[in-house]
Amino acid sequence: MAAVDMEQLLAQITREIEPQIGTGSVADYIPALAAVDPGQFGIAVALPNGECYGAGDWTKPFSLQSISKLFTLALSLSENDEDIWWRVGREPSGNAFNSLVQLEYENGIPRNPFINAGALVVTDHLAGVVGDATEAVLDFLRTEAANPDIRCDEEVAASEEAHGDRNLALTHFLASYGNIHGDVRDIVRQYVRHCSIAINCRDLALAGLFLARHGIRRDGSRMLSHSHTKRINAVMLTCGTYDAAGEFAYRVGIPSKSGVGGGILAVVPERCSVAVWGPGLDRRGNSVAGVAALDRFTALTDWSVF
Amino acid sequence: MAAVDMEQLLAQITREIEPQIGTGSVADYIPALAAVDPGQFGIAVALPNGECYGAGDWTKPFSLQSISKLFTLALSLSENDEDIWWRVGREPSGNAFNSLVQLEYENGIPRNPFINAGALVVTDHLAGVVGDATEAVLDFLRTEAANPDIRCDEEVAASEEAHGDRNLALTHFLASYGNIHGDVRDIVRQYVRHCSIAINCRDLALAGLFLARHGIRRDGSRMLSHSHTKRINAVMLTCGTYDAAGEFAYRVGIPSKSGVGGGILAVVPERCSVAVWGPGLDRRGNSVAGVAALDRFTALTDWSVF
Amino acid sequence: MAAVDMEQLLAQITREIEPQIGTGSVADYIPALAAVDPGQFGIAVALPNGECYGAGDWTKPFSLQSISKLFTLALSLSENDEDIWWRVGREPSGNAFNSLVQLEYENGIPRNPFINAGALVVTDHLAGVVGDATEAVLDFLRTEAANPDIRCDEEVAASEEAHGDRNLALTHFLASYGNIHGDVRDIVRQYVRHCSIAINCRDLALAGLFLARHGIRRDGSRMLSHSHTKRINAVMLTCGTYDAAGEFAYRVGIPSKSGVGGGILAVVPERCSVAVWGPGLDRRGNSVAGVAALDRFTALTDWSVF
Amino acid sequence: MAAVDMEQLLAQITREIEPQIGTGSVADYIPALAAVDPGQFGIAVALPNGECYGAGDWTKPFSLQSISKLFTLALSLSENDEDIWWRVGREPSGNAFNSLVQLEYENGIPRNPFINAGALVVTDHLAGVVGDATEAVLDFLRTEAANPDIRCDEEVAASEEAHGDRNLALTHFLASYGNIHGDVRDIVRQYVRHCSIAINCRDLALAGLFLARHGIRRDGSRMLSHSHTKRINAVMLTCGTYDAAGEFAYRVGIPSKSGVGGGILAVVPERCSVAVWGPGLDRRGNSVAGVAALDRFTALTDWSVF
């Protein structure tokens, strides 16, 4: 698909999903997120050759939130091969409702790396290897996006830390099963900080390109094996969009990871990575405008993994 | 991939997975299944042009079991468009353990069409449209495989009916939420009978080919829209292999539906359908030899959706 | 306490709780119960010597509902000694929400004889000994109350049977664990019929007197050992009022068994049995006026087990 | 019952339950408890007039553990009237398995004051009133037992704090619902310390006498109203012995609170308080020898609340 087509395509999508922009509810569990203007929308597509196209508010930064779980997972696999899979599973977790009882029932092994418990274990794992998980994620994002200005939004991080009882509860609970090796408060701080990274659609699409290129980074070096990359894509497809992964696979049909900041990073293997952003969320916590845009994107390109 | 290659490939896979044949445990919840010789293994691949290749015990019939849920779903969608989705969801169900409480929590709407509760609702739905769900499935299988001899194994069906308290419990429970419209005992009987169909790998691969051809049947007629077919593939990938769907997507990476008879039907969109069979099951209920064979198949062909 | 006092006491209680009469919601899951006039209230007290006092609508019959579970339990213990405790536990069940998962988790052994699952097992057990559980309960009630006219309200029974999917689900589920020995439909029918017995406060208080007399029936014969009787009282106190047993013990402080027909049978060991009735239920399913009356009764008499 | 009888009675009980002494498993979740010699047993009975009788190891101190929850509850009620009931319920909690999901389902309000979550809330509540909950409990125990030497076993406390992830998890979880007002680490420290108090049977029986005297302390002053005392007894009976409260009420029949240190404090209203101790626990966490001794005690005296 030629460059001019992609620009037209993104313009068409932005136009078509306009009625959805501003609908849904902005995440309100911390004041710093609740203040975001819901009427924004951005989309960016990065091609394997490094070209990047965008539309709407695609250069405005937003809060990465759970999408950071994708990068800590990828970095854990790259540094440590398969060790992480002794500490976290790969199964969809059913609904949010029973997350704690499930963790208890399965002896402190979270179902997958994208539920909060799993991401805390991955953060702990990565911290054990590289020292500071947040710095490792920031370093990776800056390099892949060629943007040294990507940083943690300290206001969001402070706001999340101030409402951190649930994360502390979860991490102490994991620690009671021996599945946290670092200091609980330090791991929660690192976790909160990499979730609080501010990034825009352009940079996010570029940072996710390694998943479309089967593990090859911007500079041509191999980060993950072909096989590892496919596996991350599988985890994204089955577990990447909270308790709507089945619906999402059914409707959109490509591996994706969403965050309550309203961003979604999606991958069409060998073809492109796509970053969308719209702060209004549906009841499952996924961006209303973002899901609609990805739905249109796969419908118009006929790019689906199925 | 030329015919000769496929034959060589299946021979190689059969050789490589030989150590796995006979491992695992044969389903033993009904006597008729427990009596199956565990040392058998078959594999068949059907190409979009209708060619079919096989190896091992690929022409020996085995019990379809949960794989029938795929056909009742496809037939429900073909006859009724989207109506079924008002009565059953599309989300992975987490672990088997909490299935009943989840059903209660979600007011009698099963999480997806491949858990037993969901399949009972789909059977009821299909029965409401065509009269007898088992006959509809048999008719479809016979036509697609061009084999009029495919039939229900009445001994297996009788054995399952004699141990049917759990299915009756589930169906009455669904009925208490108004999500069964037919007679409970009749629906359970139809459900048990389509699960008890005996089929071999060859016929199963041919019967699943419509999923690789985006909805086109053997005779060239359209059964499902392109979009519906992709959606069924998505449900297979996220929910098709019991509580190992995440692991399966991670390891094998193609849409698949397994049954406790030891069969698995898998699809590589636009390329082929694959049927494997080995009676020994792992602790999640999936064929040990079958999973190993599909793993080798996707590794050797590099055919994965990710 | 002299006869005249008891009459005064019941009059005072009836006066004091008058504001509560008619509040709460009448059980509406079957039409036959929903039609009851909520503005009724009755109370009766039977003394160990067989004297019986009453006030309000104490001679109007109402639907026994779950209170029948007390009589099937007592009759099971009297006929079969301790055998029933191999099939049902004695622990409070926490909230209603997780009843099914708990049953699954505990392999088909209901937590106690007063949750529906437990009462179905007790009915099956009693049916195995005496043939028909409903007839055994009716026979007992008629004899103790010296009223041969007590009978099953066939309209209520038919209405419950017509909405019986949940009971059938539960009973098939128990049968799948081997914990129902009779025919599922027959056991459910017997269960529904003994719940549908119509009785008034006077007759109910007299029928419950054996619990205050440590196992001695009206005719002076021993039905239960002293020890068995105390044990039934213990089960009533810890499990007799749905998910409000703790609150009830805390507030009222005497063993009681309630039913959604609005009746409650309570026992003060060695002193009296009390039957109250008011059709309006609180959100836990206990009679609002009935609980209030028992609360006043124990406060005014200072009869509490604590 | 005369003094001489009580001594004979305790001697008889000690003799009869001898085979049980040393059976069961000593609590091993912290090293300091695992080291206790399992072959010990003590029993003490305190009468309303202050007389105290004992047998066996009745003057050897053991770890109070969960029995301290009874004293924090009593002190909370005495200081604050009913306020605590806004923050914690009174219902039995069913099995331990689902404690966390239940807490989530009920929005951070623990089911009762004797499960860990509830006791942490009560500790927080008491700390808010008196400053340090442990000091308040120690002060109460020393005064009632007239033994100024009762103290916290700092080795046990340190051992519990070192394994405190689960308590920290629970307390942060409660805090996330706003149901902890103090500093999480400080509340957990106070909780751990009052559980780590070392006390012997004699002192414990004396300290529990206020429950048999309807709220009157050793010095004749009123600590709790008659009504509050009965209510604490009701909570003990329905929730005092972990997931065996129903069984315990059925078998022993008097309000009791057990701890994993092997102690149990029981009350016969108006008659006596009883403290028993044997370190070997059954699978529910109650002292094997202690339960057997209380069983014999109520059988031989015929003192039961039922």
Side-chain angles (χ1 to χ4, degrees):
Chain A
M1 189 170 273
V4 60
D5 292 331
M6 191 57 81
E7 279 180 349
Q8 278 186 351
L9 178 72
L10 299 187
Q12 179 183 349
I13 290 169
T14 307
R15 215 163 42 236
E16 286 182 15
I17 63 117
E18 234 225 294
Q20 316 263 19
I21 297 174
T23 64
S25 313
V26 172
D28 58 1
Y29 70 100
I30 57 165
L33 287 181
V36 173
D37 169 12
Q40 305 177 88
F41 172 77
I43 183 169
V45 174
L47 304 185
N49 64 6
E51 285 174 28
C52 193
Y53 302 87
D57 302 312
W58 69 304
T59 59
K60 280 204 195 161
F62 57 88
S63 193
L64 191 56
Q65 294 298 317
S66 289
I67 307 173
S68 70
K69 295 169 182 172
L70 175 61
F71 297 106
T72 51
L73 175 62
L75 291 166
S76 285
L77 282 168
S78 82
E79 298 281 346
N80 256 56
D81 209 38
E82 297 274 346
D83 282 5
I84 186 65
W85 301 122
W86 293 99
R87 299 177 58 187
V88 66
R90 277 154 291 187
E91 294 307 316
S93 64
N95 57 2
F97 167 69
N98 55 6
S99 54
L100 274 169
V101 76
Q102 209 159 42
L103 200 52
E104 195 157 17
Y105 187 63
E106 308 193 88
N107 295 310
I109 306 296
R111 294 275 292 180
N112 67 63
F114 291 163
I115 56 174
N116 287 359
L120 283 158
V121 168
V122 172
T123 298
D124 179 62
H125 188 83
L126 184 58
V129 177
V130 302
D132 187 306
T134 311
E135 289 309 312
V137 172
L138 278 171
D139 190 52
F140 179 79
L141 297 175
R142 287 167 185 158
T143 307
E144 295 307 292
N147 177 357
D149 293 335
I150 296 171
R151 50 181 41 92
C152 173
D153 182 329
E154 300 295 348
E155 188 197 337
V156 171
S159 192
E160 299 225 27
E161 276 216 79
H163 297 77
D165 277 309
R166 204 163 250 264
N167 287 327
L168 286 164
L170 211 44
T171 312
H172 277 297
F173 193 61
L174 290 161
S176 77
Y177 287 103
N179 205 5
I180 290 292
H181 305 162
D183 173 77
V184 166
R185 283 177 184 263
D186 184 45
I187 295 306
V188 170
R189 196 188 52 82
Q190 290 187 39
Y191 171 78
V192 159
R193 290 191 77 246
H194 66 63
C195 287
S196 300
I197 290 171
I199 197 166
N200 62 35
C201 288
R202 177 197 163 278
D203 293 350
L204 183 57
L206 288 169
L209 208 42
F210 75 102
L211 290 169
R213 294 196 297 201
H214 284 153
I216 305 296
R217 291 184 61 159
R218 180 188 189 93
D219 64 2
S221 67
R222 176 163 293 285
M223 176 192 189
L224 293 173
S225 68
H226 192 139
S227 162
H228 271 175
T229 316
K230 282 156 78 168
R231 289 173 174 203
I232 292 181
N233 289 343
V235 177
M236 290 170 76
L237 193 89
T238 52
C239 318
T241 45
Y242 307 111
D243 196 30
E247 178 67 25
F248 203 89
Y250 184 82
R251 184 171 164 200
V252 177
I254 55 174
S256 306
K257 181 73 203 84
S258 61
V260 295
I264 307 175
L265 175 58
V267 178
V268 186
E270 294 175 50
R271 296 196 186 269
C272 69
S273 61
V274 190
V276 291
W277 170 56
L281 307 178
D282 60 27
R283 68 191 174 88
R284 301 285 177 78
N286 298 308
S287 167
V288 175
V291 173
L294 287 173
D295 190 4
R296 293 309 300 142
F297 182 81
T298 55
L300 292 168
T301 56
D302 201 29
W303 289 348
S304 155
V305 302
F306 297 113
Chain B
M1 190 172 272
V4 59
D5 291 332
M6 191 56 82
E7 281 180 347
Q8 276 187 353
L9 178 72
L10 298 187
Q12 179 183 348
I13 289 170
T14 306
R15 218 162 42 236
E16 286 182 14
I17 63 116
E18 234 227 293
Q20 316 264 19
I21 297 173
T23 64
S25 314
V26 172
D28 59 1
Y29 69 100
I30 57 165
L33 287 181
V36 173
D37 168 12
Q40 305 178 88
F41 173 75
I43 183 168
V45 175
L47 303 186
N49 64 5
E51 286 175 25
C52 193
Y53 303 88
D57 302 312
W58 69 303
T59 59
K60 281 204 194 161
F62 57 89
S63 192
L64 191 56
Q65 294 298 318
S66 289
I67 307 173
S68 71
K69 296 170 181 171
L70 175 60
F71 296 106
T72 50
L73 174 62
L75 290 166
S76 285
L77 282 168
S78 82
E79 297 283 346
N80 255 57
D81 207 37
E82 297 273 344
D83 282 4
I84 186 64
W85 301 122
W86 292 99
R87 299 178 58 186
V88 65
R90 278 154 291 187
E91 293 307 316
S93 64
N95 57 3
F97 168 70
N98 55 8
S99 52
L100 274 170
V101 75
Q102 208 159 44
L103 199 53
E104 194 157 17
Y105 187 62
E106 308 192 88
N107 297 310
I109 306 296
R111 293 276 294 177
N112 66 63
F114 291 163
I115 56 174
N116 288 359
L120 284 158
V121 168
V122 172
T123 298
D124 179 62
H125 188 84
L126 184 58
V129 178
V130 301
D132 187 307
T134 310
E135 290 309 312
V137 172
L138 278 171
D139 189 53
F140 179 79
L141 296 175
R142 288 168 184 156
T143 306
E144 295 306 294
N147 177 358
D149 293 334
I150 297 171
R151 50 182 40 92
C152 173
D153 181 329
E154 300 294 348
E155 187 196 338
V156 172
S159 194
E160 298 226 26
E161 276 215 79
H163 296 77
D165 277 310
R166 204 164 250 265
N167 286 329
L168 285 164
L170 211 44
T171 313
H172 277 297
F173 192 61
L174 290 161
S176 77
Y177 287 102
N179 204 5
I180 290 291
H181 305 161
D183 173 76
V184 166
R185 284 177 183 262
D186 184 46
I187 295 306
V188 170
R189 196 188 53 81
Q190 291 187 38
Y191 171 77
V192 160
R193 291 190 78 248
H194 67 64
C195 288
S196 300
I197 289 170
I199 197 167
N200 63 34
C201 289
R202 178 196 163 278
D203 293 350
L204 183 57
L206 288 169
L209 208 42
F210 75 102
L211 291 170
R213 294 197 297 202
H214 284 153
I216 304 297
R217 290 182 64 159
R218 179 189 190 90
D219 65 1
S221 68
R222 176 163 295 284
M223 174 193 189
L224 294 172
S225 68
H226 191 140
S227 162
H228 272 175
T229 317
K230 283 157 75 168
R231 288 172 174 203
I232 291 182
N233 289 343
V235 177
M236 290 170 77
L237 193 89
T238 52
C239 316
T241 45
Y242 306 112
D243 196 30
E247 179 66 25
F248 202 88
Y250 183 82
R251 185 171 162 200
V252 176
I254 55 175
S256 305
K257 181 73 203 86
S258 60
V260 295
I264 308 175
L265 175 59
V267 178
V268 186
E270 295 175 48
R271 295 195 186 269
C272 68
S273 61
V274 189
V276 291
W277 170 55
L281 307 178
D282 61 27
R283 67 189 177 86
R284 302 287 177 75
N286 298 308
S287 167
V288 175
V291 173
L294 288 173
D295 190 5
R296 292 310 299 145
F297 182 81
T298 54
L300 291 169
T301 56
D302 202 29
W303 288 349
S304 155
V305 302
F306 297 113
Chain C
M1 191 171 271
V4 60
D5 292 332
M6 190 58 80
E7 280 181 347
Q8 277 187 351
L9 178 71
L10 299 186
Q12 178 182 348
I13 289 170
T14 306
R15 216 163 43 236
E16 285 183 14
I17 63 115
E18 233 226 294
Q20 316 264 18
I21 298 173
T23 64
S25 313
V26 172
D28 58 2
Y29 70 101
I30 56 165
L33 288 180
V36 173
D37 169 11
Q40 304 177 89
F41 172 78
I43 183 168
V45 174
L47 304 185
N49 63 6
E51 286 175 26
C52 192
Y53 304 87
D57 302 311
W58 69 305
T59 58
K60 281 204 195 162
F62 56 90
S63 193
L64 191 56
Q65 294 297 318
S66 289
I67 306 172
S68 70
K69 294 169 183 174
L70 175 61
F71 297 105
T72 50
L73 175 62
L75 291 167
S76 285
L77 282 168
S78 82
E79 298 282 346
N80 255 56
D81 208 37
E82 296 274 346
D83 282 4
I84 186 64
W85 300 122
W86 293 99
R87 298 178 59 187
V88 66
R90 279 154 290 187
E91 294 307 316
S93 66
N95 57 2
F97 168 69
N98 55 7
S99 53
L100 274 169
V101 75
Q102 208 158 44
L103 200 52
E104 194 157 17
Y105 187 63
E106 307 192 89
N107 296 309
I109 306 296
R111 295 276 292 179
N112 67 62
F114 291 164
I115 56 174
N116 288 359
L120 284 158
V121 168
V122 172
T123 298
D124 178 63
H125 189 83
L126 184 57
V129 177
V130 301
D132 187 307
T134 310
E135 289 310 312
V137 172
L138 278 171
D139 189 53
F140 179 80
L141 296 175
R142 287 168 183 157
T143 307
E144 296 306 294
N147 178 358
D149 293 334
I150 296 171
R151 49 181 41 93
C152 173
D153 182 329
E154 301 294 347
E155 187 197 337
V156 171
S159 192
E160 298 227 26
E161 276 216 79
H163 296 77
D165 277 309
R166 204 164 250 265
N167 286 329
L168 286 164
L170 211 44
T171 312
H172 278 297
F173 193 60
L174 290 161
S176 77
Y177 286 102
N179 205 5
I180 290 292
H181 304 161
D183 173 76
V184 166
R185 284 178 183 262
D186 183 46
I187 295 306
V188 170
R189 196 188 52 82
Q190 291 187 38
Y191 171 78
V192 160
R193 290 189 78 247
H194 68 61
C195 288
S196 300
I197 290 170
I199 197 166
N200 62 34
C201 289
R202 177 197 163 279
D203 292 349
L204 183 57
L206 288 169
L209 208 42
F210 74 103
L211 291 170
R213 295 196 297 201
H214 283 153
I216 305 296
R217 291 183 63 159
R218 179 188 190 92
D219 64 4
S221 67
R222 176 162 293 284
M223 174 194 191
L224 293 172
S225 68
H226 191 140
S227 161
H228 271 176
T229 316
K230 282 157 76 169
R231 289 173 173 201
I232 291 181
N233 289 343
V235 178
M236 289 172 76
L237 192 88
T238 52
C239 317
T241 45
Y242 306 111
D243 196 30
E247 178 66 26
F248 202 89
Y250 184 83
R251 185 170 163 201
V252 177
I254 55 174
S256 306
K257 181 71 203 87
S258 60
V260 295
I264 307 176
L265 174 59
V267 178
V268 186
E270 295 174 49
R271 296 195 185 271
C272 67
S273 61
V274 190
V276 292
W277 170 55
L281 308 178
D282 61 27
R283 67 190 175 88
R284 301 287 177 77
N286 298 307
S287 167
V288 174
V291 173
L294 288 173
D295 190 5
R296 292 310 298 145
F297 182 81
T298 55
L300 291 169
T301 56
D302 202 29
W303 289 350
S304 155
V305 301
F306 297 112
Chain D
M1 190 170 272
V4 60
D5 291 333
M6 191 57 80
E7 278 179 349
Q8 277 186 351
L9 178 72
L10 299 187
Q12 178 183 350
I13 290 169
T14 307
R15 218 164 40 238
E16 285 182 14
I17 63 117
E18 234 226 295
Q20 317 264 19
I21 298 174
T23 64
S25 313
V26 172
D28 59 1
Y29 71 100
I30 58 165
L33 287 181
V36 173
D37 169 11
Q40 305 177 88
F41 172 77
I43 183 168
V45 174
L47 304 185
N49 64 6
E51 286 174 28
C52 192
Y53 303 87
D57 302 311
W58 69 304
T59 60
K60 280 204 194 162
F62 57 88
S63 193
L64 191 56
Q65 294 298 317
S66 289
I67 307 173
S68 70
K69 295 170 182 171
L70 175 60
F71 298 105
T72 50
L73 174 61
L75 291 166
S76 285
L77 283 168
S78 82
E79 298 282 346
N80 256 55
D81 209 39
E82 297 274 346
D83 282 4
I84 186 64
W85 300 122
W86 294 99
R87 299 178 58 185
V88 66
R90 276 154 293 187
E91 293 308 315
S93 64
N95 58 1
F97 168 69
N98 55 7
S99 53
L100 273 169
V101 74
Q102 208 159 45
L103 200 51
E104 196 158 15
Y105 187 62
E106 307 191 89
N107 295 310
I109 305 297
R111 293 276 292 179
N112 67 64
F114 290 164
I115 56 173
N116 288 359
L120 284 159
V121 168
V122 172
T123 298
D124 179 62
H125 189 83
L126 183 57
V129 177
V130 302
D132 187 307
T134 311
E135 290 310 312
V137 172
L138 278 171
D139 189 52
F140 179 80
L141 297 175
R142 287 168 185 157
T143 306
E144 295 307 293
N147 177 357
D149 293 334
I150 296 171
R151 49 181 42 92
C152 173
D153 181 329
E154 299 295 347
E155 188 196 337
V156 171
S159 193
E160 299 226 27
E161 276 216 78
H163 297 77
D165 278 309
R166 203 165 252 266
N167 286 328
L168 285 164
L170 212 44
T171 314
H172 277 297
F173 192 62
L174 291 161
S176 76
Y177 287 103
N179 204 5
I180 290 293
H181 304 161
D183 173 76
V184 166
R185 284 179 182 262
D186 183 47
I187 295 307
V188 170
R189 197 187 53 81
Q190 291 187 38
Y191 171 78
V192 160
R193 291 190 77 247
H194 67 63
C195 288
S196 301
I197 290 170
I199 197 166
N200 62 36
C201 289
R202 177 197 163 276
D203 293 350
L204 184 56
L206 289 169
L209 209 42
F210 74 103
L211 291 170
R213 294 196 299 200
H214 284 153
I216 305 297
R217 290 184 63 159
R218 181 188 189 91
D219 65 1
S221 68
R222 177 163 293 285
M223 176 193 188
L224 293 171
S225 68
H226 191 140
S227 161
H228 271 176
T229 316
K230 282 157 76 168
R231 289 172 173 203
I232 291 182
N233 289 343
V235 177
M236 289 171 76
L237 192 89
T238 51
C239 318
T241 46
Y242 307 111
D243 196 30
E247 177 67 25
F248 202 90
Y250 184 82
R251 184 171 163 200
V252 177
I254 55 174
S256 306
K257 181 72 202 85
S258 61
V260 294
I264 307 176
L265 175 58
V267 178
V268 187
E270 294 175 49
R271 295 196 185 269
C272 68
S273 61
V274 189
V276 291
W277 170 57
L281 307 178
D282 61 26
R283 68 190 175 87
R284 301 286 177 76
N286 298 308
S287 168
V288 174
V291 173
L294 289 173
D295 190 4
R296 292 309 300 144
F297 182 81
T298 54
L300 291 169
T301 56
D302 201 30
W303 288 350
S304 155
V305 301
F306 298 113

